Amino acid sequence: MTRKTLSGWIFDVYAVAGGMRLWLIDRSGKKHRLFERFSPVFYLGGAPAALKQACAFLSRLSLPLHMKPSEGIEFYSGKTLPVMQITVENPLHFKKVVRWVIAQENQKGRLGKTLVLYNADLSLPQQYFYTKESFPLAFCMVLLEDSRILALSVEDSPWATDYAIPPLSIMQLRMEGEAIDPAQTTARALEIEVEGRRHVLEGGHESVVVARFDRMLVRHDPDLILSEWGDPYILPKLLAAAARLNRPLSLNREPGKKVLSKKERSYFSYGRMVHRSQSRTLLGRWHVDVRNSFLVGLTELEGLFEFARLSKIPVQQMARTSTGTGITSMQMDLAFQDGILIPWRKRMPEAFKSASQLLLTDKGGLTYAPRPGLYESVGELDFASMYPAIMAKYNISPETINCRCCPENKVPEIGHHLCQKRRGLVPRFLEPLLEKRARYKTLKKAAADPALRRSYDERQSALKWGLVTTFGYQGYKNARFGKIEAHEAITAYAREILLQAKEIAEAEGFEMVHAIVDSLWLKRQDASETDYQSLSERISKACGIPIVFEGIYAWLLFPPSRRHLNLGVPNRYLGLFESGKIKVRGLEVRRSDSPPFIKAAQREMIDLLSTAKCASEYQKLIPKLKLCFERYREKLHSGHVPFFELAISKTLSKAPKDYQKASLSAIVAKELSGRGVDLVPGERIAYVIVDEKSKVPAERARALGFIDGTWSYDVQKYEQLLKQALEALYIDCMF
Amino acid sequence: MKADFLKKRATAAEAFTRFDGPPLSLVSDAAGGLFLFYGDPALFALSPVLAGWRLSLGEPVFFLDGNHCFDPYPLVNLAKTIGQNPKTFLDSLFVSRAFTCHQMGSLVLNQLREAMGSHHPRLVILASPLETFYDESVPLIEARNLLHHLTAALGRLAPGHIFVVLSPFPKKSAGRRAFFLSYLKEKANRIFRVNRKENASSLSITEEKPAEQQWIFPLETG
């Protein structure tokens, strides 16, 4: 038995018999496979008789577990409750024991009524990290006896902004060719990039591909496999082929263990269907599918690492989960450290309210639609992280809303009230997060190195998404620490604050051009930057929420609604700040369903417009826009625009067979289904319009992945889309 | 004061004679019980008439919403149609929304009795209570057990009150959970299947339990 110390970054953590496997990467990049004893814990509370029966049931199980009386804080009341602490010696038994207790109590109808479970559905790595006060990618020092951890000390903080990431070896996997979902196109070769070299594993027999891939895995032993469509396609295909050939793949570093898989699922979120692809995660090595990760898609690996460190959710899981799950984990961690019992399943329903009250409270933020037109000298003011700042300032949290003790502390307009005696869990969780984001923004401004600046930007962007979700989660059905009344209180304050800001601005002679929830576009003849700065200071002071002056627009265009030419559309605009920075919202160039060809055309037109210093110069550029339009129109008419450039991406709202009308999405979904592609609601498809007016529905649009040279695109339809992209850029339609 | 109230009540009751068909005719004579209307999603058009019937008599009504489907506008229109103050209607209809089956379970098993004790509604409407139970993230056995206890509780609460459950056909996404409807059927005193007529302007209501009969409900009035 040899004792030694080792320092490095926590790379991966998962449960094994008797404890946790912990992978550490040291400064030289060497990987260490370690073990630490760990026994997870959950609690049972409730009526003594039910508790006694549950304990009797547990003691009849022939599993090593310990029960002892303990206590914890009940989240809503803040009162200390007596509970029974159940320690499950082997973490691999934890889920099973909890499931048995639930089944037993469910049968008796006592669950949630006379028996309550706490801390019962924390994942084992989360519980391990909460207990040890460590986190994924934490730099730490361990005392070892052989490979067994005797002590671990964390020499890092999740709140640090200057942390380092371990040296990672990366292997990239994708299917050769254009970026099309490989399940929705013809078979292609597997492309692997590792250590700066690109390898294409050409077709041939699957045994050749599997053998070459496995050899490369063994030779390069990457820490991270970064794939495109690795979750739904590449890894399942490779694993299936390996199983057929009875040839194990060396994907896991943990010997003798299978690659972990999770089924795909579709669900409704914010009024739209979302699809979560199936997943394949590894042990001792990471697999991240950039096409199946919200965080990586928006904030790259830097944002993912930042979120994993803060949320204490291992990197592979964090990559595939929502920011909402991430912030919930941060809140659970805070509750855990405070001795608050984490309730199993959200069960507190909305309190009964009259329909009048419901109409009054169930509202969102305020919006003032803009009048369409081209404006000059408009200044933009944005409240910084408005909703989270409101939660922090007014102490809005599930346990503080409509408390029993402070009925006088009313929320404006809606009549709810907030606690003044107890600081809520959500505001306490938000404060350091808001502060950390502010620090990243300052660091980003000060950073001279572009790579460092980008890294700070990606991290602050990840935090921004977390903060945004914190508000939404108050109204989300599965949010552990969410309550619909808290959601209503936040929007009520936001409406009040926006109105207050509008009144202050108007009192100082500013005219409001547009406002949406937390942003105002204001105009006053000859107002300087200093005037806007001092206005924002006064608003910040009066409202108690910081508002930031974004800048003055040299020109700002609010295009008209396509249906009602005299109406503008909230959050659809194009403007050039006096600093030279262009800002675009809601136009084709920003829309995820616009064909790349249309986006490119509009981007080029916007680049042209960015040379205009004022509205009159803007108007003078219209002929140039028309020339640009003509150029793109000619390209279209030449018939040589690649299909990929014309692809329209759409999300399926239902399964292909459930479509009743022959919309283009329905037609293509059915085409793909006919080709054996399994599609579920929420999945994205890409298609090319070939003849929108064809009497034969199947000839109106074709799936991008299978269209070939026998088809041609619908020139008229794409010209119409091109024209719309042009028309969005000026008020008076000249065609 | 009391005379005024009685007069208003009589006027409202009179105004309701135009709704002498279903669904009122199916539930109004009952002293209590569990009435299940299931079928086409258009069945929610029945809820304003049902709620308006008790609201017009000055009684509170409970609306337990399992699918974010409470719509105040038909109720307001109904109040105007029968010459009542819409605000009075909206003030007396009490809504609670459940977004998960555990919330729905807690609402019925733990909160409802106490809330009924303080407001004394004669009519309780449960709109789409099964929707929350179709959520695949809750294990099937757990959802089934919870639903079993919920329907048993409804069975216990129903005598002396009118519980109307409006339950659209399970969506395809309900998958294996589509049989959950049978739990409600088992406890219901009367079961009505609601279909939308082909011309889409009316609903046909067919009684399945205890005896088979059919009625037509014009959608324009709903």
Side-chain angles (χ1 to χ4, degrees), chain A residues 216-360:
Chain A
M216 290 181 77
L217 270 179
V218 174
R219 190 188 322 144
H220 299 283
D221 189 23
D223 300 313
L224 165 61
I225 296 177
L226 200 59
S227 74
E228 282 185 65
W229 286 291
D231 273 339
Y233 189 84
I234 301 175
L235 290 201
K237 289 272 177 200
L238 284 168
L239 286 163
R244 276 193 297 274
L245 298 162
N246 199 19
R247 186 192 201 294
L249 281 175
S250 319
L251 280 163
N252 277 334
R253 277 178 175 156
E254 184 73 36
K257 294 278 181 184
K258 278 188 177 173
V259 169
L260 306 176
S261 63
K262 224 174 178 180
K263 279 192 211 161
E264 64 179 352
R265 67 189 185 102
S266 301
Y267 56 94
F268 251 115
S269 174
Y270 291 96
R272 65 191 183 97
M273 192 51 93
V274 180
H275 172 248
R276 280 254 173 265
S277 156
Q278 55 173 312
S279 69
R280 295 289 184 280
T281 50
L282 311 176
L283 300 171
R285 194 194 310 280
W286 294 341
H287 169 228
V288 173
D289 178 350
V290 296
R291 299 279 177 174
N292 190 27
S293 174
F294 173 82
L295 263 175
V296 176
L298 287 169
T299 66
E300 304 286 330
L301 287 175
E302 284 285 351
L304 171 64
F305 296 159
E306 173 72 23
F307 231 85
R309 286 170 59 95
L310 284 168
S311 66
K312 305 195 173 179
I313 295 177
V315 168
Q316 291 185 93
Q317 282 71 39
M318 192 62 242
R320 288 162 178 85
T321 194
S322 64
T323 47
T325 304
I327 58 129
T328 301
S329 180
M330 292 180 214
Q331 293 167 353
M332 291 201 292
D333 182 27
L334 182 59
F336 188 94
Q337 307 307 338
D338 288 354
I340 293 171
L341 297 162
I342 300 168
W344 174 82
R345 302 276 198 232
K346 183 176 174 179
R347 46 184 72 245
M348 175 85 86
E350 181 184 32
F352 276 100
K353 54 174 77 129
S354 72
S356 315
Q357 265 178 308
L358 185 65
L359 282 174
L360 188 71

Side-chain angles (χ1 to χ4, degrees), chain A residues 128-148:
Chain A
Y128 169 81
F129 283 129
Y130 297 172
T131 309
K132 303 284 173 183
E133 296 188 45
S134 71
F135 51 93
L137 294 169
F139 191 80
C140 54
M141 183 174 276
V142 286
L143 173 64
L144 298 173
E145 192 171 75
D146 295 330
S147 62
R148 204 159 66 88

Side-chain angles (χ1 to χ4, degrees), chain A residues 106 348 350 353 355-356 658, chain B residues 91 93 95-97 149 172:
Chain A
N106 254 332
M348 175 85 86
E350 181 184 32
K353 54 174 77 129
S356 315
D658 295 338
Chain B
D91 285 345
L93 184 94
V95 184
S96 176
R97 292 169 293 181
H149 295 301
K172 281 180 185 147

Side-chain angles (χ1 to χ4, degrees), chain B residues 139-176:
Chain B
L140 177 67
I141 297 173
E142 193 179 318
R144 195 188 62 193
N145 282 336
L146 187 56
L147 183 60
H148 174 75
H149 295 301
L150 181 146
T151 49
L154 286 179
R156 286 194 298 274
L157 286 163
H161 300 90
I162 294 174
F163 273 72
V164 174
V165 181
L166 302 172
S167 187
F169 286 130
K171 285 182 198 150
K172 281 180 185 147
S173 56
R176 289 166 62 200

